[in-house]
Amino acid sequence: QVQLVESGGGSVQTGGSLTLSCKAQRFSLNDYALSWFRKAPGKEREAVVCMTFGTHVATYRDSVKGRFTAIADYAKNTMILQMDSLKSEDAGEYFCAAGYAPEECLGYDRLEVWGQAILVTVSS
């Protein structure tokens, strides 16, 4: 069964850093677009970043540009999300999802493989 396995997350103070990892199992990310989403209590789900592994292009939401970095590790079939200068509004449940698309990011409804939610807490 194909799946995405997440790791990382945790609790950090404002301004701190965390790293999330999303590893694909039993399929190759090479022709997939993989996105990280987050959901905070009382807020809408939002896309954080999309990485198209076919073109190695990352697209970030405006609020995380310059603070978050998506890294495609082709050898490990993994996407890493390095989150720096964390703010309270970055807190929430993060999850990764992928869909077959070598060169474009996919909408939420077109994604095919999902990881489990992982909690990020940012305290002041």
Side-chain angles (χ1 to χ4, degrees):
Q1 180 180 356
V2 298
Q3 59 180 344
L4 295 171
V5 179
E6 300 176 17
S7 60
S11 182
V12 68
Q13 290 189 325
T14 302
S17 297
L18 285 173
T19 302
L20 304 181
S21 178
C22 177
K23 181 177 177 60
Q25 294 189 342
R26 287 179 282 282
F27 74 103
S28 172
L29 285 171
N30 285 2
D31 291 320
Y32 277 71
L34 192 150
S35 295
W36 282 96
F37 297 87
R38 66 188 181 191
K39 175 72 171 67
K43 294 185 178 181
E44 296 291 319
R45 179 190 66 237
E46 56 187 25
V48 177
V49 61
C50 167
M51 169 74 80
T52 50
F53 274 67
T55 56
H56 199 188
V57 173
T59 304
Y60 301 88
R61 70 177 298 107
D62 287 344
S63 63
V64 307
K65 287 179 180 178
R67 299 188 297 119
F68 288 15
T69 304
I71 302 166
D73 187 332
Y74 291 88
K76 295 183 178 179
N77 207 26
T78 296
M79 180 175 171
I80 297 167
L81 182 62
Q82 176 64 39
M83 306 186 294
D84 299 318
S85 302
L86 282 161
K87 303 177 181 180
S88 58
E89 53 262 43
D90 294 319
E93 288 189 328
Y94 283 68
F95 58 96
C96 59
Y100 182 81
E103 300 181 357
E104 64 175 336
C105 292
L106 298 176
Y108 187 82
D109 292 341
R110 294 178 60 193
L111 298 168
E112 302 161 10
V113 188
W114 301 85
Q116 77 281 11
I118 195 165
L119 186 62
V120 170
T121 303
V122 183
S123 58
S124 57

